[in-house]
Amino acid sequence: MCDIAITTPEQAATSDFESRLVQALNHGGLLLLTSIGHRTGLLEALAGQPPLTSQALAERSGLQERYVREWLGGMVAAEVIETDPDTATYWLPDERAALLTNRGEVNLAVYAQFMPLLGSVEDEVVRCFHEGGGVPYSRYPRFQEVMASDSGQTVLPALFEHILPLAPGLIERLETGIRVLDCACGRGRALLAMAERFPASRFVGYDLSEEAIAWGREQAERAGLTNLRFEARDLSDFDVTAEPEAFELVTTFDGIHDQAQPRRLLAGIHRTLTADGLYLVQDIHASSHHHLDREHPLGAMLYAVSLSHCMTVSLAQGGEGLGTMWGRERALAYLEEAGFHDIEVHQLEHDIQNDYFVCRP
């Protein structure tokens, strides 16, 4: 008589969780390989091309064949790149190239860069678990570059058609000419686009990063934008240093949650707005309650970003350490505390990552 193995619910749950972890390990490898493929230009070099040998791809990309061949092996194992073993050739199907290169509407390979970038500071984050404090902004030399690429796919394509029209009449005011401030502007790609589109308006960008500000200034000068200026500025005391009633529009694009003193920045934004002014906020879509983030399609990823960058850079400045996933409930509370009582919250169909707040004094 044969024994029949009976799987208990606990054993089934363990097996399912083990499968999830193994899959996660594979996906982690895929993200690292995708980041490398993006940064080396291999993905772009494969897009739209007939099957290529590893040598031909290396020559086309100006890279070392042995490294190219190993990368191809990983991307074949990940079922991203296809191969013909008889001809030893490789190709990237068009439907995948549309999601991993600039041939499509969104290049998801851009976001794969966050994994190695954040992993590079893991030792320092682990130290902070034991000792407290944070990892300083200077330890992320490529972060502004990656965030600018992110902004280029979420903010810029939607800025004029979807984001600015969230506030009725704002486009018309910008065309007539108003004063605009973007706080925590990063490289200022949104400002550059607006300054070019609305020459009658005047634009200012503040950011802590000297590198980001220098990049923005160079681009503005190259484009001949005399209605735009950038200034490297610590906004931790903006509640007292902001010029009163100096701007009709203030914007922040993913700029509040990693500030050292987010409450002070929001208070300063309220202070610097005119009575008929408008504050337009883009920040991460999340809940302020952990259990409500279980269904978030990017929840684990965004908490990893918070732990390894947004929260810790704030704490490194002796700040609040608000973090990426501060959530809509806390955001509304902070905005009201700063003096905003007319607040609308929006989401855009194309953007699962962000909430948009339209706030009036």
Side-chain angles (χ1 to χ4, degrees):
M1 188 171 179
C2 298
D3 293 332
I4 299 176
I6 298 175
T7 302
T8 67
E10 290 80 8
Q11 290 171 326
T14 298
S15 179
D16 288 345
F17 184 57
E18 182 181 22
S19 296
R20 282 179 56 200
L21 289 177
V22 171
Q23 187 180 44
L25 288 170
N26 254 329
H27 289 170
L30 168 59
L31 288 175
L32 180 56
L33 290 166
T34 300
S35 177
I36 291 171
H38 174 74
R39 296 185 65 190
T40 58
L42 281 166
L43 289 166
E44 294 288 347
L46 279 165
Q49 295 301 308
L52 299 169
T53 65
S54 59
Q55 184 62 45
L57 178 59
E59 291 173 359
R60 178 177 173 81
S61 307
L63 302 171
Q64 298 295 312
E65 187 276 337
R66 182 65 189 93
Y67 280 88
V68 171
R69 183 169 15 119
E70 199 74 2
W71 177 83
L72 285 167
M75 294 298 269
V76 168
E79 300 182 348
V80 174
I81 289 174
E82 298 295 334
T83 185
D84 181 349
D86 294 331
T87 59
T89 56
Y90 304 84
W91 66 96
L92 179 62
D94 289 343
E95 68 274 11
R96 298 172 193 170
L99 293 170
L100 292 173
T101 70
N102 293 328
R103 288 174 168 254
E105 292 184 5
V106 178
N107 184 352
L108 294 178
V110 166
Y111 303 101
Q113 297 175 95
F114 280 110
M115 292 297 95
L117 178 65
L118 299 177
S120 69
V121 298
E122 182 189 35
D123 287 348
E124 292 170 74
V125 172
V126 170
R127 173 187 57 77
C128 292
F129 269 80
H130 293 282
E131 301 175 6
V135 181
Y137 206 66
S138 60
R139 285 289 292 113
Y140 303 85
R142 291 193 63 243
F143 196 80
Q144 289 291 345
E145 175 189 342
V146 176
M147 283 303 299
S149 297
D150 181 351
S151 174
Q153 299 193 141
T154 55
V155 175
L156 294 186
L159 184 61
F160 302 117
E161 186 175 350
H162 299 290
I163 297 176
L164 296 178
L166 291 174
L170 179 56
I171 295 285
E172 291 75 14
R173 294 183 73 186
L174 285 162
E175 289 173 340
T176 301
I178 58 175
R179 297 164 295 174
V180 182
L181 169 65
D182 187 14
C183 292
C185 65
R187 289 188 168 187
R189 293 189 66 180
L191 280 173
L192 289 160
M194 287 191 289
E196 183 175 10
R197 176 72 174 268
F198 306 113
S201 290
R202 313 293 295 179
F203 298 87
V204 180
Y206 295 152
D207 198 272
L208 183 64
S209 170
E210 296 276 2
E211 179 275 328
I213 290 298
W215 190 93
R217 284 174 177 162
E218 181 181 348
Q219 297 303 310
E221 184 176 352
R222 184 175 300 175
L225 297 174
T226 58
N227 61 334
L228 169 60
R229 67 179 177 87
F230 290 96
E231 182 179 333
R233 184 165 176 175
D234 185 344
L235 298 172
S236 298
D237 59 355
F238 202 54
D239 55 330
V240 295
T241 60
E243 182 183 353
E245 299 189 35
F247 299 95
E248 285 81 20
L249 173 65
V250 178
T251 59
T252 54
F253 297 103
D254 281 346
I256 298 299
H257 61 256
D258 58 356
Q259 293 295 309
Q261 304 295 336
R263 286 184 169 96
R264 294 180 188 173
L265 174 54
L266 291 172
I269 289 172
H270 186 273
R271 170 188 170 100
T272 204
L273 275 175
T274 57
D276 63 345
L278 181 77
Y279 175 34
L280 182 58
V281 191
Q282 176 210 35
D283 219 293
I284 297 298
H285 170 69
S287 169
S288 303
H289 307 288
H290 290 171
H291 68 286
L292 296 179
D293 284 326
R294 284 175 172 165
E295 303 301 319
H296 195 299
L298 289 170
M301 167 67 180
L302 290 170
Y303 272 106
V305 172
S306 182
L307 189 66
S308 299
H309 181 269
C310 300
M311 182 191 78
T312 194
V313 296
S314 174
L315 292 172
Q317 301 174 66
E320 183 176 339
L322 191 56
T324 312
M325 301 293 278
W326 62 318
R328 182 183 291 186
E329 299 92 335
R330 186 171 287 118
L332 288 170
Y334 278 30
L335 288 166
E336 291 175 3
E337 178 186 300
F340 296 100
H341 301 296
D342 182 354
I343 304 171
E344 302 170 5
V345 186
H346 302 268
Q347 282 189 279
L348 299 179
E349 186 176 351
H350 80 284
D351 187 353
I352 63 172
Q353 183 173 305
N354 295 291
D355 283 337
Y356 295 83
F357 302 82
V358 178
C359 313
R360 295 175 179 84

